[in-house]
Amino acid sequence: MRKVSVFGATGSVGQNTIDLIDRNPSAYDVVALTGGANIEKLAEDARRLKADVAVTAHEDRLDDLRAALTGSDVEAAAGQSALTEAGARSADWVMSAIVGAAGLPPGLEALKQGATLALANKETLVCAGQLVLETAHTHNARLLPVDSEHSAVFQALAGEDMDAVERIIITASGGAFRDWPLRDLANATVEQASSHPNWNMGQRITIDSASMFNKALELIETKEFFGVTPDQIEVIVHPESIVHSMVGFKDGAVMAHMGAPDMRHAIGYALNWPDRRELPIARLDLAKLGQLRFHEPDEARYPALRLARNVMERGGLSGAVFNAAKERALDLFIARQVGFLEMAEIVESVLNRFEASDGLLDAPFNLDNVLRTDHLARKWADEAMMKTAG
Ligand code: NDP
């Protein structure tokens, strides 16, 4: 039996992971499930899967979790340190599907005990790519991509020599506003941004898809995961979300990965890797689809892409700044304190402020400095918001 943990178990990726575990429960010994506010779901899944421990991120919800687990053998824990401890529990395979930079510390712990880390939480590599890769290397742990684009690239690269790779082409659906006139974006509401044309995902990543901040994070993740240069990474808008990404080789060949837009493919691929097993995914009917469309993204519509390119060129701790400022700007948009287009303005202003502050971006790359940078970037995002509002 494989020992598995699911971080962010109550979320969209977490529930898809649990769906796959539920289909073959005798194959898995569940170690830790973690969640946030959704105590009921966390406890229900932990009981059914007989997890060793269930952890909520919210310290003040420990009593609720304990009550929900009464009569079971599942241990209850709460708070940031409990999340990190869950990462340190011995497991063969760990799904990292917490949303945001909060996923970084438990993911690092899982790597330190040599687990295979299935990485949905792209923020981990965006904030701390160098640290994460070094930790995996030192502890002989493996990272597997779960973002559908990176899983697609990983699969297209199987058996290939990285020296033969010319470019990586990341596809983007274009999100909720891909057909909106540019002038209307300033007034886009949270509800409008929270509905994705092709994928069923958590609210934050869905809004990030509309602004293309999600794609921006994925560009940085691509650079870190596959060790390519920024100019080897391209983005192409593909409204059908059938081609999940492509790799172009030096001989002109392009390998594309196709499939129905269902996260259980990328999750199942990482769960079964290096094997391929039956998955409950709709099969493609290309004749019925008829056509697949592609076009270049309009960078005026999506400033996040330009900012991501600057971050990739700049390196250092700029990824941690970019992610934290973006997370805070998104909080402010969801709280209706800033408009849709102001999110990118806030992120750019925070990046510029860090660049102008001697040495901040070039501090040594360790967890303390990443967390300190994250904290400061959020504070400066609030200050940038005040200026925008004023
Ligand atoms: P959701 O918002 O659906 O779920 C997030 C999970 O993290 C929930 O379990 C939530 O708990 C928990 N959580 C929220 N805040 C915290 C915190 N501060 N500390 C610890 N746990 C927390 O997100 P998604 O599943 O959509 O996305 C998860 C990650 O996967 C993100 O990094 C996203 O970019 C990435 N991803 C998602 C895809 C998708 O299809 N959804 C596709 C590819 C990548 P609770 O709900 O109980 O409060």
Side-chain angles (χ1 to χ4, degrees):
M1 280 222 281
R2 286 175 80 199
K3 288 165 76 175
V4 302
S5 289
V6 183
F7 301 159
T10 49
S12 165
V13 171
Q15 286 293 297
N16 277 316
T17 309
I18 286 178
D19 175 72
L20 295 179
I21 293 173
D22 267 332
R23 287 166 192 266
N24 193 8
S26 60
Y28 305 105
D29 175 4
V30 177
V31 179
L33 297 185
T34 85
N38 195 345
I39 302 293
E40 206 178 311
K41 173 57 71 189
L42 178 62
E44 179 194 317
D45 288 346
R47 275 175 183 276
R48 190 181 65 260
L49 294 171
K50 299 185 171 51
D52 295 346
V53 63
V55 185
T56 164
H58 304 297
E59 225 149 328
D60 57 348
R61 301 295 307 276
L62 180 59
D63 288 344
D64 296 340
L65 182 59
R66 277 204 183 114
L69 289 169
T70 306
S72 76
D73 290 332
V74 185
E75 194 185 316
Q80 294 308 312
S81 57
L83 281 178
T84 307
E85 276 164 31
R89 291 199 179 217
S90 168
D92 304 308
W93 188 92
V94 174
M95 166 54 74
S96 166
I98 289 173
V99 65
L104 173 62
L108 274 176
E109 285 306 309
L111 290 174
K112 283 186 198 159
Q113 48 101 356
T116 292
L117 189 66
L119 204 60
N121 177 278
K122 59 198 84 187
E123 296 88 343
T124 293
L125 279 180
V126 172
C127 296
Q130 187 187 325
L131 175 65
V132 171
L133 297 174
E134 278 169 14
T135 306
H137 181 74
T138 307
H139 297 276
N140 211 12
R142 183 175 284 282
L143 281 170
L144 289 175
V146 172
D147 235 338
S148 60
E149 293 77 1
H150 303 77
S151 176
V153 171
F154 188 79
Q155 293 180 53
L157 283 171
E160 303 287 353
D161 185 344
M162 276 313 284
D163 286 342
V165 173
E166 199 168 62
R167 59 193 175 132
I168 291 179
I169 306 160
I170 300 290
T171 51
S173 69
F177 303 141
R178 64 188 179 203
D179 300 323
W180 279 38
L182 191 53
R183 64 177 180 279
D184 290 349
L185 289 184
N187 298 320
T189 65
V190 174
E191 289 70 27
Q192 288 164 332
S194 299
S195 141
H196 197 284
N198 304 340
W199 293 92
N200 185 8
M201 309 185 286
Q203 185 192 34
R204 296 181 73 87
I205 184 175
T206 302
I207 299 176
D208 282 348
S209 296
S211 62
M212 282 244 198
F213 265 112
N214 179 51
K215 207 50 54 183
L217 296 174
E218 287 175 10
L219 295 186
I220 304 168
E221 184 186 7
T222 301
K223 172 178 172 275
E224 300 295 340
F225 204 106
F226 300 105
V228 290
T229 55
D231 61 357
Q232 286 180 290
I233 308 170
E234 297 174 11
V235 182
I236 193 157
V237 177
H238 166 46
E240 290 83 10
S241 295
I242 295 296
V243 174
H244 297 315
S245 278
M246 297 171 258
V247 178
F249 293 91
K250 282 184 175 157
D251 60 1
V254 173
M255 301 282 273
H257 175 282
M258 296 200 280
D262 183 332
M263 278 308 291
R264 290 176 304 175
H265 169 73
I267 296 167
Y269 180 80
L271 190 59
N272 296 326
W273 184 90
D275 300 330
R276 280 192 191 270
R277 302 212 179 114
E278 178 84 19
L279 288 172
I281 309 293
R283 274 30 181 180
L284 280 188
D285 183 340
L286 289 172
K288 202 165 160 193
L289 268 167
Q291 62 170 346
L292 297 176
R293 292 163 299 162
F294 300 93
H295 64 84
E296 271 186 28
D298 172 1
E299 292 217 357
R301 176 184 286 267
Y302 303 117
L305 297 179
R306 171 177 54 80
L307 297 177
R309 293 215 174 269
N310 295 346
V311 166
M312 288 193 288
E313 294 294 347
R314 178 60 183 78
L317 288 161
S318 63
V321 174
F322 180 71
N323 180 66
K326 188 286 295 176
E327 284 194 34
R328 190 64 195 130
L330 178 58
D331 294 339
L332 295 169
F333 175 64
I334 291 173
R336 292 157 170 84
Q337 287 178 262
V338 301
F340 184 74
L341 295 177
E342 277 156 6
M343 287 191 284
E345 290 171 23
I346 289 172
V347 174
E348 184 158 21
S349 131
V350 175
L351 280 166
N352 289 342
R353 191 166 167 191
F354 266 87
E355 190 61 81
S357 308
D358 245 6
L360 280 188
L361 290 177
D362 297 309
F365 220 119
N366 54 45
L367 184 58
D368 280 350
N369 280 339
V370 170
L371 297 180
R372 204 171 293 135
T373 303
D374 177 284
H375 186 76
L376 185 58
R378 284 168 205 259
K379 184 166 169 274
W380 284 1
D382 281 341
E383 291 175 16
M385 182 273 283
M386 300 293 207
K387 274 195 203 135
T388 311

